[in-house]
């Protein structure tokens, strides 16, 4: 599969720059070592893949959005890092069984409509005794709240798809992983802060980096509701942002979960 997706419509790479500390935290908690075979699932612009490759790991990065993967490829080339990039859906990885020592996914597998399918796929590709490291937004934190305020303006999720927010609920996640021979060894909550000059720039960043919002712009403008979307985002920024002498900080809370493949 190599067609464009909504993830390629906005300026996601700008958001990926803000999310880099979460990838660093995940790679650190996964304790990636040189020569380990690491798979970064839904790699986007390659944040976690590049961090793992810098540790000397043998890395494969998978994503279904060709535009993001092509940015990931040029970032790796700039550093002469040899990473195997694959355009593929994360529920059908073009990889053999037990091919990885570690599978990582930073804000990635949480977007699979079918949670069981992607959990089974991770379990299939990780060898027995290998590790899985997953990062998801914390329920009730800024990113899920953004999804909540925007939901009335967006098309409903495809029938049968399961909410991404469940991946941040430890009880749900531990159960999903356990059902797929992945036993949680530890997890940790953490946060990162996005520093922005003012509320207007924060609002623009959140809208312009989200391909699924950019995809709805023409329709919402036609319906006279695009400003409503902007106001919904601005309202959440006003409620949540912390002022600083240089502008403001938006705090993004997440959980990193490490599991071992039985
Ligand atoms: C929030 S971004 C995270 C990207 C990257 N891991 C990071 O830390 O910046 C989510 C990524 O999931 C990818 N994605 C979403 N659904 C996917 C699917 N079914 N198969 C493969 N990739 C998918 C998107 O293209 C996007 O790159």
């Amino acid at each position: 599969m190599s067609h464009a997706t909504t993830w390629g419509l906005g300026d996601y790479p700008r958001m990926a720059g803000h999310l880099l500390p979460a990838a660093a935290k995940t790679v650190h908690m996964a304790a990636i070592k040189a020569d380990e075979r690491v798979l970064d699932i839904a790699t986007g612009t390659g944040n976690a893949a590049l961090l793992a490759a810098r540790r000397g790991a043998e890395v494969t990065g998978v994503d279904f959005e060709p535009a993001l993967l092509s940015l990931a490829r040029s970032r790796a080339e700039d550093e002469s890092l040899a990473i195997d990039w694959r355009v593929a859906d994360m529920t059908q990885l073009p990889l053999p069984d037990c091919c990885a020592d570690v599978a990582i996914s930073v804000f990635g597998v949480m977007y699979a409509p079918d949670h069981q399918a992607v959990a089974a796929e991770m379990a299939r590709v990780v060898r027995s005794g290998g590790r899985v490291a997953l990062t998801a937004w914390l329920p009730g934190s800024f990113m899920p709240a953004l999804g909540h305020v925007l939901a009335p303006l967006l098309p409903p999720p495809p029938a049968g798809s399961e909410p991404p927010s469940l991946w941040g609920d430890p009880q749900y996640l531990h159960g999903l992983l356990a059902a797929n021979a992945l036993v949680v060894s530890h997890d940790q909550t953490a946060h990162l802060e996005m520093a922005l000059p003012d509320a207007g720039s924060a609002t623009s960043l959140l809208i312009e980096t989200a391909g699924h919002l950019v995809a709805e712009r023409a329709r919402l403008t036609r319906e006279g509701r695009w400003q409503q979307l902007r106001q919904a985002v601005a309202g959440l920024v006003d409620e949540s942002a912390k002022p600083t002498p240089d502008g403001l900080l938006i705090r993004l809370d997440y959980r990193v979960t490490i599991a071992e493949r039985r």
Side-chain angles (χ1 to χ4, degrees):
M1 184 169 59
S2 63
H3 57 269
T5 72
T6 53
W7 286 94
L9 293 180
D11 186 7
Y12 178 73
R14 195 148 57 102
M15 178 57 78
H18 287 282
L19 302 187
L20 186 57
K25 174 95 183 161
T26 309
V27 167
H28 172 73
M29 281 182 64
I32 305 288
K33 294 184 275 300
D35 298 328
E36 282 193 308
R37 297 162 303 164
V38 174
L39 175 60
D40 183 19
I41 303 175
T43 187
T45 58
N47 276 355
L50 267 79
L51 287 159
R54 286 184 204 131
R55 288 178 170 227
E58 192 187 307
V59 182
T60 302
V62 178
D63 202 283
F64 73 171
E65 174 45 57
L68 296 180
L69 215 49
S70 123
L71 265 172
R73 183 175 287 111
S74 59
R75 288 177 76 195
E77 282 168 6
D78 286 348
E79 292 187 46
S80 302
L81 293 169
I83 297 177
D84 180 13
W85 302 107
R86 307 279 187 103
V87 179
D89 191 283
M90 58 193 166
T91 55
Q92 289 177 309
L93 297 170
L95 299 165
D97 296 356
C98 310
C99 64
D101 298 303
V102 187
I104 288 190
S105 193
V106 183
F107 310 122
V109 291
M110 62 179 294
Y111 294 108
D114 182 343
H115 296 180
Q116 166 53 30
V118 78
E121 195 58 346
M122 285 190 293
R124 180 184 72 76
V125 294
V126 173
R127 69 163 169 85
S128 172
R131 308 169 322 272
V132 162
L134 304 176
T135 303
W137 301 119
L138 217 56
S141 66
F142 185 86
M143 283 302 194
L146 182 61
H148 188 71
V149 298
L150 292 177
L153 293 158
L154 299 177
S161 63
E162 295 166 296
S165 56
L166 285 173
W167 289 79
D169 170 351
Q171 205 180 343
Y172 174 85
L173 183 58
H174 293 199
L176 175 70
L177 295 177
N180 289 280
L182 295 164
V183 180
V184 173
S185 56
H186 55 295
D187 62 8
Q188 206 179 89
T189 58
H191 71 272
L192 59 90
E193 287 179 320
M194 297 198 296
L196 293 152
D198 52 53
S201 333
T203 301
S204 298
L205 172 88
L206 290 162
I207 295 172
E208 290 162 12
T209 59
H212 70 297
L213 300 186
V214 175
E216 296 304 317
R217 182 167 189 156
R219 176 185 65 83
L220 287 170
T221 303
R222 240 184 357 261
E223 294 171 0
R225 296 201 295 160
W226 180 250
Q227 279 315 309
Q228 207 179 319
L229 178 140
R230 203 175 159 89
Q231 280 156 13
V233 178
L236 187 66
V237 168
D238 281 348
E239 261 172 47
S240 321
K242 195 170 83 186
T244 67
D246 301 326
L248 53 83
L249 290 176
I250 296 182
R251 175 181 166 132
L252 305 182
D253 293 88
Y254 59 92
R255 174 179 281 109
V256 182
T257 303
I258 310 292
E260 186 180 318
R261 173 75 166 93
R262 277 282 156 83

